Amino acid sequence: PRHFTAMVRIGASEDPTELTRCEEVSKDQGETQLPDATIGGRVWKVFAFEDAGMMQYVSGVSYRTLHEGQCIALEKVRTGSSYRDIPNERDIPEEVLMAEYETLDLVVQSFSFAR
């Protein structure tokens, strides 16, 4: 690909609608259910997601749990160019990109709630 970004983002919502569906798969958003994960001593619901268009893509894993009246979401996300028609010396090998994306597992596993 010509460009690539890998990141972890964290969000919280108190919206009643979001609280109701926090730990449920959202198929209309392109999610698929994955096995639960334990992060910081808590069980989180896990969902894979992906979307593509205009030679761009986004994919990742969303970890969600209810905590103190909020829906907490940790997301491991990768975005980039899916343009591959004309090879270019500036293209980054897919193996390099996936290795960078996989390092985000350490960031996700380091998350914990604090007081």
Side-chain angles (χ1 to χ4, degrees), residues 54-73:
M54 300 295 293
M55 297 190 187
Q56 308 289 319
Y57 70 87
V58 61
S59 66
V61 179
S62 180
Y63 305 86
R64 297 195 297 259
T65 191
L66 293 169
H67 179 73
E68 295 184 357
Q70 295 183 326
C71 175
I72 308 296

Side-chain angles (χ1 to χ4, degrees), residues 4-88:
F4 178 85
T5 302
M7 67 183 133
V8 172
R9 59 186 178 193
I10 302 170
S13 177
E14 295 177 341
D15 180 272
T17 303
E18 293 302 318
L19 291 173
T20 301
R21 63 182 183 195
C22 181
E23 297 181 316
E24 297 176 5
V25 67
S26 189
K27 290 184 180 180
D28 61 332
Q29 304 252 344
E31 291 182 341
T32 56
Q33 183 97 38
L34 298 175
D36 293 352
T38 300
I39 303 169
R42 297 182 64 104
V43 175
W44 295 66
K45 297 295 181 184
V46 185
F47 312 94
F49 63 89
E50 65 182 342
D51 192 15
M54 300 295 293
M55 297 190 187
Q56 308 289 319
Y57 70 87
V58 61
S59 66
V61 179
S62 180
Y63 305 86
R64 297 195 297 259
T65 191
L66 293 169
H67 179 73
E68 295 184 357
Q70 295 183 326
C71 175
I72 308 296
L74 281 171
E75 293 186 327
K76 183 174 83 165
V77 181
R78 63 187 182 117
T79 63
S81 165
S82 55
Y83 183 75
R84 303 229 197 285
D85 289 345
I86 304 170
N88 186 299

